[in-house]
Every structure is written in structure tokens, then in C-alpha cells.
Amino acid sequence: MITAQKVKELRERTGVGMSKCKKALEESSGDINLAIDNLRKAGMASAVKKEGREANEGLISFAENKSHIALLAINSETDFVAKNDKFKDYLKNMVEEALLSKPETTDSFLAQKYSKGDGMTIDEYRATIVQVLGENIVIKKLLIIDKMKDHSYGVYSHMQGKIVTCVELAGANQESLAKDVAMHVAAEAPEYLNPEEIPASVVEHEKEIAKAQMKGKPEHIIDKILSGKIDSFYDQVCLTKQKFIKDSKMSVEQFVAAQQKGLKVSKFIRWQIGN
């Protein structure tokens, strides 16, 4: 069944008009990923959002000290509760607790004793918050980052905690630049650090899409056009190849390297509520 919601999601992800989205879904028997591929092969869709609309509400927070960074995402059923001060206080308490105890997994974190909870576990404390707020609260995702020597780290929170990013630079004393790159990650949503990280299957899929767009063109120019299209794909999805939001004349890789000899982006993380 082709629902209005599915047509709207395809429209949001591709930028193609509603009528063409509906037709594409009808031709793909409702398979949204196949519809996207067909629209791209027809040349009607270029940049495609990896995800549709957010599936959950909640917030993401972080805490850090000289040696570690803790990232924590907690989901709620409604945005109304996510904006509640009690929910925000709970999130703050939990991310600070995670930084203190450095759990290896979300499950081990839930099972450990809460340092301020009079013998309660983290999960038991979560249950009390559920009773207070009146809807289900889930500790969705947790990550502890060990800060490496001679590396710089920047964390950026966007949309009041709906998106949180973290960037690691291989080079010391560049925290301000790392935060600028983290801001770029929040805005531009790269999927990979560099072309070397992209799975071969993904690159081959992009080549298939590009070849479908070149039907009828002379064979001797197809390889050249294909190479250009793949380079353009890298520029779109790889952090190091994207144009830096603070200086669009340079890629992120070029801008970072220009600030200090040998400096480079070594890692990034981008969390978004709903993903």
C-alpha cells in the first residue's frame, strides 16, 4: 500500500516532487529504497538523505575531563518530555555518572549501582524517572572515548542536544579547530571519514547508478564521466573531502592540514536522535 506518509518520506529524502515520488513508489511496489535507486537512475534525485524522519524523541549529552569523553543518548516518547527540566536533569546526571564509571556497554551501565541512588542500580533509577515523567524513558546509546596523547578533541551539541558530534584530530593543542570541524560534521552529516573507509559494495552501487544515467553516451567518454561522478560522491559523503563550512574554498582535509604541519582528522562521531 502506498501511503501518504511513505510518499512524504520519499519526498523528504530525495527532493523530488510528490507526484513523481508516488509514481516511483507504485513502480517499486512500495519499496522506498528501490524507488530511490530508480529516481537516481532517471537523474531526478542526486543527494539522498540516508534516513527519513526521526523515529524517536529524546536528547543527547556529553561530559568530559582531561582523559575521557562520555556520550549518552536517552530516548523519550515525546518531545514534550524531552524538553522537561526533570528529563534534562536526569540526562545530565546519567552522562556524568557514565564519565565517572566508564562502563564498557549500555547493559553494564544499566546494571551498575548509581553512586547517588541509595543502593539503586542505574536501571532502577531510570524506572523512578519513568514514574515521575509518565512515559517510557530508554538509555539508547552510550560511548566512552579515551583521549589519546598528542591528539585534540572537539565536541559540539546542535539543536539543543538533538545532534551531538565529536571530532578527533591527530595533533596537539587544536581543541578549537576540532570543535569547528565537529560543527561542520553536525551541519553536513558525512557518512565516512575518507574514501578508503567506504565499502567496495557501496562504491560499486554508485557506479551502477552513474552508468544508468549515462545510457546513450559514447563509450570513450563514459570512463571519464564515471570517474568524475565517483569523485563527486566522495566529496558529498566523506568528511575529509567535503568543503569546509568556514572556508568553502578548501576541503576539510586541506583546511586542517593548513593550520599545522602533519595535522589531520583521525576520527569523527555523529549522533542524531532518531538514528
Side-chain angles (χ1 to χ4, degrees):
M1 181 179 179
I2 311 302
T3 64
Q5 182 60 41
K6 187 169 281 191
V7 174
K8 186 178 180 183
E9 180 182 346
L10 184 59
R11 168 74 177 84
E12 289 173 347
R13 292 180 65 181
T14 63
V16 175
M18 297 291 276
S19 61
K20 286 185 172 61
C21 283
K22 183 178 180 182
K23 183 178 179 182
L25 283 167
E26 289 170 347
E27 291 175 349
S28 69
S29 300
D31 186 327
I32 196 164
N33 290 318
L34 179 57
I36 288 171
D37 279 353
N38 290 340
L39 287 170
R40 293 188 65 203
K41 286 176 180 178
M44 286 188 278
S46 53
V48 178
K49 294 180 182 178
K50 192 173 183 182
E51 301 292 342
R53 296 184 66 187
E54 294 177 0
N56 303 102
E57 298 297 341
L59 293 174
I60 306 162
S61 188
F62 71 94
E64 65 178 313
N65 54 30
K66 291 182 179 181
S67 58
H68 293 86
I69 299 169
L71 299 179
L72 185 68
I74 299 182
N75 284 81
S76 59
E77 292 181 35
T78 64
D79 190 48
F80 178 78
V81 161
K83 292 176 179 178
N84 185 291
D85 286 341
K86 288 185 174 65
F87 180 89
K88 292 178 181 178
D89 288 343
Y90 169 66
L91 175 60
K92 180 176 181 292
N93 289 338
M94 290 299 93
V95 75
E96 289 176 352
E97 187 77 8
L99 182 65
L100 179 68
S101 62
K102 304 175 190 62
E104 293 186 1
T105 65
T106 302
D107 286 343
S108 63
F109 182 56
L110 289 168
Q112 76 182 36
K113 296 293 184 181
Y114 178 34
S115 64
K116 303 175 184 177
D118 296 325
M120 284 192 298
T121 65
I122 294 294
D123 197 37
E124 288 168 343
Y125 178 55
R126 181 197 62 81
T128 68
I129 299 300
V130 169
Q131 292 176 346
V132 170
L133 294 176
E135 66 179 55
N136 194 25
I137 304 297
V138 178
I139 295 180
K140 185 74 173 179
K141 196 157 46 171
L142 167 68
L143 180 65
I144 305 298
I145 300 166
D146 295 328
K147 291 183 178 180
M148 295 176 62
K149 186 179 179 182
D150 296 326
H151 284 61
S152 302
Y153 296 83
V155 187
Y156 178 71
S157 179
H158 184 54
M159 294 175 63
Q160 298 180 324
K162 294 293 185 182
I163 299 172
V164 170
T165 60
C166 179
V167 165
E168 175 190 271
L169 301 181
N173 304 315
Q174 291 290 340
E175 284 73 19
S176 178
L177 176 60
K179 186 168 183 177
D180 283 345
V181 178
M183 187 185 304
H184 171 101
V185 170
E188 298 301 314
E191 296 176 40
Y192 307 96
L193 177 62
N194 51 46
E196 291 72 29
E197 283 195 354
I198 304 177
S201 59
V202 173
V203 176
E204 285 305 311
H205 181 69
E206 287 302 313
K207 286 181 179 179
E208 288 177 12
I209 297 292
K211 287 176 181 177
Q213 295 172 345
M214 292 186 286
K215 284 182 178 177
K217 293 189 180 293
E219 287 292 331
H220 68 280
I221 67 169
I222 286 180
D223 286 345
K224 185 176 181 180
I225 296 174
L226 184 60
S227 177
K229 284 183 175 292
I230 294 302
D231 285 342
S232 179
F233 172 67
Y234 293 157
D235 293 345
Q236 177 188 326
V237 302
C238 296
L239 172 58
T240 55
K241 300 300 181 183
Q242 290 179 336
K243 295 300 182 184
F244 190 38
I245 57 172
K246 286 203 165 186
D247 186 347
S248 60
K249 295 178 182 178
M250 304 175 78
S251 69
V252 170
E253 183 177 49
Q254 291 168 337
F255 188 90
V256 169
Q259 307 311 303
Q260 179 180 302
K261 186 177 180 180
L263 188 67
K264 65 178 183 179
V265 184
S266 49
K267 187 183 297 183
F268 80 91
I269 295 161
R270 186 183 190 277
W271 283 8
Q272 180 171 341
I273 290 295
N275 290 357

